[in-house]
Amino acid sequence: MDNEKLNITLHVYDQDIAVTVRRADEESYRRAAKLITDRYNAYAKVYNKEKGDHTVALMTLIDIALMYERERSKNDTQPFMNILTKLTSEIEEALK
């Protein structure tokens, strides 16, 4: 069943986090934990001892949020809908 719940432990950077997820989402959660860990490690390596853990965590969040926003804007259909609405109006006007 797709809605079946599953208890899993995710290793995120240096911490294990127990979560309950839908079985269908397990792999996505594991990939998300890996992405966070990889990005955090990259920032921690660059800012080795210059920045605190909290700042590195925030930089990681900003990096991942930026990835999300870029991807989300690629899927924004509103500009296309605006053009279609305008074209439809022009076609209807021309047919009158």
Side-chain angles (χ1 to χ4, degrees), residues 51-64:
K51 308 271 187 205
D53 289 342
H54 182 75
T55 301
V56 171
L58 291 175
M59 293 168 75
T60 302
L61 286 170
I62 290 169
D63 187 29
I64 292 170

Side-chain angles (χ1 to χ4, degrees), residues 1 4 6 9 24 29 40 57 60 77 94:
M1 181 183 294
E4 186 179 339
L6 184 64
T9 300
Y29 273 89
Y40 189 98
T60 302
T77 60

Side-chain angles (χ1 to χ4, degrees), residues 51-96:
K51 308 271 187 205
D53 289 342
H54 182 75
T55 301
V56 171
L58 291 175
M59 293 168 75
T60 302
L61 286 170
I62 290 169
D63 187 29
I64 292 170
L66 181 60
M67 288 180 204
Y68 169 79
E69 285 298 322
R70 285 179 176 155
E71 200 56 38
R72 188 172 78 141
S73 70
K74 289 179 185 176
N75 296 321
D76 183 9
T77 60
Q78 191 58 47
F80 301 110
M81 294 305 294
N82 292 343
I83 290 170
L84 286 173
T85 300
K86 183 179 177 187
L87 289 173
T88 301
S89 294
E90 290 176 5
I91 291 169
E92 288 174 351
E93 191 65 33
L95 292 175
K96 286 184 179 181

Side-chain angles (χ1 to χ4, degrees), residues 5-8 18-22 29:
K5 300 291 183 178
L6 184 64
N7 294 318
I8 62 172
V19 294
T20 302
V21 301
R22 290 180 346 155
Y29 273 89

Side-chain angles (χ1 to χ4, degrees), residues 23-61:
R23 183 175 296 279
D25 294 335
E26 178 187 5
E27 190 57 36
S28 294
Y29 273 89
R30 294 196 184 281
R31 284 193 310 266
K34 182 175 180 349
L35 172 64
I36 293 167
T37 300
D38 291 348
R39 298 309 309 145
Y40 189 98
N41 285 335
Y43 279 108
K45 184 177 179 181
V46 169
Y47 296 104
N48 185 20
K49 305 297 181 197
E50 291 177 36
K51 308 271 187 205
D53 289 342
H54 182 75
T55 301
V56 171
L58 291 175
M59 293 168 75
T60 302
L61 286 170

